[in-house]
Amino acid sequence: MKRTLYLKFLLAYVLFGIFGFIVVATFVYSMTFDRLRRDKAENMYQVATQIANTYAADLYNSETSLETVYEELSTLSMYMDRSPIWIINPSGRLVIDSSRPLGPGEEVVVNGFDPTVTGSSYYTTGDFWNSFNHDVLSVFAPITANYKVQAYVVIHASIPALQDQANTFLNISYLMLIVLFLLSLIILIFFTELVYVPLRKITTATEQYAAGNMGYEFSVESEDEMGYLAASLSYMAGEIARQEDDQKKFVANVSHDFRSPLTSIRGYLVAMQDGTIPPEMHEKYLGIVINETDRLTKLTNELLTLQNLNAKGGMLLDKTDFDINQVIRKVAESCEGSCRDKHISIELVLTDNKMLVNADVDKIQQVLYNLVDNAIKFSHHDSSIKIETTEKHSKVFVSVKDSGIGIPKEDQKLIFDRFYKSDSSRGKDKKGTGLGLSIVKEIIKAHEENINVISTQGVGTEFIFSLPKAAAMDAEDE
């Protein structure tokens, strides 16, 4: 995410504030003033109608005097913010003005007076035919007597006063807008701290990881989705870095394990070719060359096995019900030759004559062969290897235990890593590839089972792995 995006967001926020003030200054003022004018005109018209039907009607019906009506209108004008109340006849001559008494013989005429100027409405605005030096709001109410319009009650209100009221409401609107703007600014600050800054950190980290810098460290102190995303990204980078390190170690180990036998083979063959090794010694060194090629073949096969185990989509298993005891017996028989050379005996302690498990028989046979072969390599002469099966909670546990050199405690958590060889094993197993236990771990893991190691240096080592008992066995138990 580019920083310009945040600047655009800030610009949009500022423009929002500016346009907000413009909208309030135009539409809010206009709507407020129109509403005040209509409400004022409606109230004035009600008063004018009441006057026309009472005081003014009594005047034209000769039921009261002009002075009395003047006094009443003056008092009423005080309660209407001193709004002038006029009684004016159809010709435009002013009869009563509540704002001042008319002197004897004084005649005030509104030239051009036309009560129909309001049209369908009951009010008009303007200077009332040049009667005021500012605009006023004027309402008309006819005074009828003897079924004839005798005059009109006219009430005026100052337009500037209404504008002042509208401006007061406008100022309140401005104040509310400022408050909302400040509140939204607080939201913007929270957005910056809770969303933008963490997202910026995540984006920067992503760019660093994309550039290959898997060691880049960052942290987002948050327990929400943003923090979870950051933690997931950091974990992903750590896993990729670990895989890259594993790959480098893998290539280095493969290169080393291939280079050593190839160097030996080439060295012996060149020595035989140039006569350094005499013909009578050729048979001996050809045997060494054959052993080295066997070592390369074994290494290649195990690498291909690991590649297939880790292929996309995971390991394909052909699970069937089979007798694990029988498989153990076959593996023990196939290892008799290796055991005979070191005078090692294999002791079988098998639960029941037949123990059915549900697994891939070929891959489990490979697991057993690797574990037994490993036990033979690191066992002392004239010792024994014990293979045992036990049943517990619908699981079958297989144990392969030797009384060999053992594994140092610090190496036990590393023995399932590819190409790993402890220092004590390097002198004993010069033909080992360091891949056997890795293959065992991958196969057991594919079965969603576990394998553990128990070892004491100088005493021996025991590998224990579990397999699911076949459903047929549970049916027989019932």
mmCIF file of all heavy atoms in Angstrom, residues 272 275-286:
data_model
loop_
_atom_site.group_PDB
_atom_site.id
_atom_site.type_symbol
_atom_site.label_atom_id
_atom_site.label_comp_id
_atom_site.label_asym_id
_atom_site.label_seq_id
_atom_site.Cartn_x
_atom_site.Cartn_y
_atom_site.Cartn_z
ATOM 1 N N MET A 272 44.051 -47.721 -10.941
ATOM 2 C CA MET A 272 44.178 -49.008 -11.628
ATOM 3 C C MET A 272 44.561 -48.812 -13.090
ATOM 4 O O MET A 272 45.320 -49.590 -13.678
ATOM 5 C CB MET A 272 42.863 -49.788 -11.525
ATOM 6 C CG MET A 272 42.604 -50.384 -10.144
ATOM 7 S SD MET A 272 41.162 -51.478 -10.076
ATOM 8 C CE MET A 272 39.858 -50.265 -10.200
ATOM 9 N N GLY A 275 48.321 -47.798 -13.401
ATOM 10 C CA GLY A 275 49.251 -48.780 -12.851
ATOM 11 C C GLY A 275 49.663 -48.533 -11.428
ATOM 12 O O GLY A 275 50.472 -49.294 -10.872
ATOM 13 N N THR A 276 49.125 -47.480 -10.806
ATOM 14 C CA THR A 276 49.465 -47.230 -9.400
ATOM 15 C C THR A 276 49.054 -48.415 -8.543
ATOM 16 O O THR A 276 49.754 -48.794 -7.602
ATOM 17 C CB THR A 276 48.778 -45.935 -8.908
ATOM 18 O OG1 THR A 276 49.174 -44.842 -9.740
ATOM 19 C CG2 THR A 276 49.146 -45.641 -7.482
ATOM 20 N N ILE A 277 47.860 -48.947 -8.857
ATOM 21 C CA ILE A 277 47.400 -50.178 -8.190
ATOM 22 C C ILE A 277 47.753 -51.349 -9.111
ATOM 23 O O ILE A 277 47.279 -51.401 -10.260
ATOM 24 C CB ILE A 277 45.896 -50.134 -7.919
ATOM 25 C CG1 ILE A 277 45.549 -48.971 -6.959
ATOM 26 C CG2 ILE A 277 45.407 -51.460 -7.338
ATOM 27 C CD1 ILE A 277 44.077 -48.811 -6.700
ATOM 28 N N PRO A 278 48.560 -52.279 -8.671
ATOM 29 C CA PRO A 278 48.959 -53.403 -9.519
ATOM 30 C C PRO A 278 47.791 -54.310 -9.833
ATOM 31 O O PRO A 278 46.800 -54.345 -9.094
ATOM 32 C CB PRO A 278 50.024 -54.121 -8.666
ATOM 33 C CG PRO A 278 49.707 -53.732 -7.277
ATOM 34 C CD PRO A 278 49.160 -52.337 -7.329
ATOM 35 N N PRO A 279 47.862 -55.056 -10.935
ATOM 36 C CA PRO A 279 46.751 -55.920 -11.358
ATOM 37 C C PRO A 279 46.330 -56.905 -10.296
ATOM 38 O O PRO A 279 45.138 -57.230 -10.183
ATOM 39 C CB PRO A 279 47.314 -56.634 -12.587
ATOM 40 C CG PRO A 279 48.333 -55.690 -13.124
ATOM 41 C CD PRO A 279 48.968 -55.035 -11.927
ATOM 42 N N GLU A 280 47.279 -57.433 -9.512
ATOM 43 C CA GLU A 280 46.879 -58.415 -8.513
ATOM 44 C C GLU A 280 46.016 -57.818 -7.406
ATOM 45 O O GLU A 280 45.376 -58.560 -6.643
ATOM 46 C CB GLU A 280 48.120 -59.073 -7.892
ATOM 47 C CG GLU A 280 49.065 -58.118 -7.169
ATOM 48 C CD GLU A 280 50.117 -57.526 -8.108
ATOM 49 O OE1 GLU A 280 49.916 -57.607 -9.358
ATOM 50 O OE2 GLU A 280 51.124 -56.992 -7.609
ATOM 51 N N MET A 281 45.972 -56.459 -7.299
ATOM 52 C CA MET A 281 45.145 -55.797 -6.286
ATOM 53 C C MET A 281 43.812 -55.290 -6.858
ATOM 54 O O MET A 281 42.995 -54.738 -6.129
ATOM 55 C CB MET A 281 45.910 -54.605 -5.680
ATOM 56 C CG MET A 281 47.205 -54.985 -4.998
ATOM 57 S SD MET A 281 46.900 -55.922 -3.475
ATOM 58 C CE MET A 281 46.161 -54.664 -2.472
ATOM 59 N N HIS A 282 43.641 -55.481 -8.178
ATOM 60 C CA HIS A 282 42.432 -54.931 -8.811
ATOM 61 C C HIS A 282 41.155 -55.500 -8.201
ATOM 62 O O HIS A 282 40.163 -54.785 -8.003
ATOM 63 C CB HIS A 282 42.460 -55.219 -10.315
ATOM 64 C CG HIS A 282 43.376 -54.303 -11.050
ATOM 65 N ND1 HIS A 282 43.470 -54.275 -12.437
ATOM 66 C CD2 HIS A 282 44.259 -53.378 -10.608
ATOM 67 C CE1 HIS A 282 44.370 -53.385 -12.806
ATOM 68 N NE2 HIS A 282 44.877 -52.830 -11.702
ATOM 69 N N GLU A 283 41.126 -56.801 -7.919
ATOM 70 C CA GLU A 283 39.912 -57.420 -7.399
ATOM 71 C C GLU A 283 39.487 -56.793 -6.079
ATOM 72 O O GLU A 283 38.296 -56.526 -5.836
ATOM 73 C CB GLU A 283 40.144 -58.926 -7.223
ATOM 74 C CG GLU A 283 38.879 -59.659 -6.754
ATOM 75 C CD GLU A 283 39.104 -61.159 -6.672
ATOM 76 O OE1 GLU A 283 40.195 -61.637 -7.044
ATOM 77 O OE2 GLU A 283 38.163 -61.842 -6.217
ATOM 78 N N LYS A 284 40.468 -56.515 -5.243
ATOM 79 C CA LYS A 284 40.167 -55.899 -3.947
ATOM 80 C C LYS A 284 39.532 -54.525 -4.127
ATOM 81 O O LYS A 284 38.495 -54.210 -3.517
ATOM 82 C CB LYS A 284 41.442 -55.801 -3.121
ATOM 83 C CG LYS A 284 41.258 -55.006 -1.830
ATOM 84 C CD LYS A 284 42.579 -54.827 -1.089
ATOM 85 C CE LYS A 284 42.407 -53.946 0.144
ATOM 86 N NZ LYS A 284 43.697 -53.742 0.854
ATOM 87 N N TYR A 285 40.153 -53.717 -4.976
ATOM 88 C CA TYR A 285 39.668 -52.346 -5.118
ATOM 89 C C TYR A 285 38.416 -52.274 -5.979
ATOM 90 O O TYR A 285 37.608 -51.338 -5.847
ATOM 91 C CB TYR A 285 40.771 -51.453 -5.677
ATOM 92 C CG TYR A 285 41.827 -51.165 -4.640
ATOM 93 C CD1 TYR A 285 43.029 -51.882 -4.617
ATOM 94 C CD2 TYR A 285 41.614 -50.202 -3.662
ATOM 95 C CE1 TYR A 285 43.987 -51.640 -3.644
ATOM 96 C CE2 TYR A 285 42.568 -49.954 -2.690
ATOM 97 C CZ TYR A 285 43.746 -50.676 -2.682
ATOM 98 O OH TYR A 285 44.680 -50.427 -1.715
ATOM 99 N N LEU A 286 38.219 -53.259 -6.882
ATOM 100 C CA LEU A 286 36.938 -53.315 -7.602
ATOM 101 C C LEU A 286 35.791 -53.599 -6.628
ATOM 102 O O LEU A 286 34.678 -53.088 -6.788
ATOM 103 C CB LEU A 286 36.997 -54.384 -8.686
ATOM 104 C CG LEU A 286 37.769 -54.016 -9.956
ATOM 105 C CD1 LEU A 286 37.862 -55.206 -10.902
ATOM 106 C CD2 LEU A 286 37.116 -52.826 -10.664
#
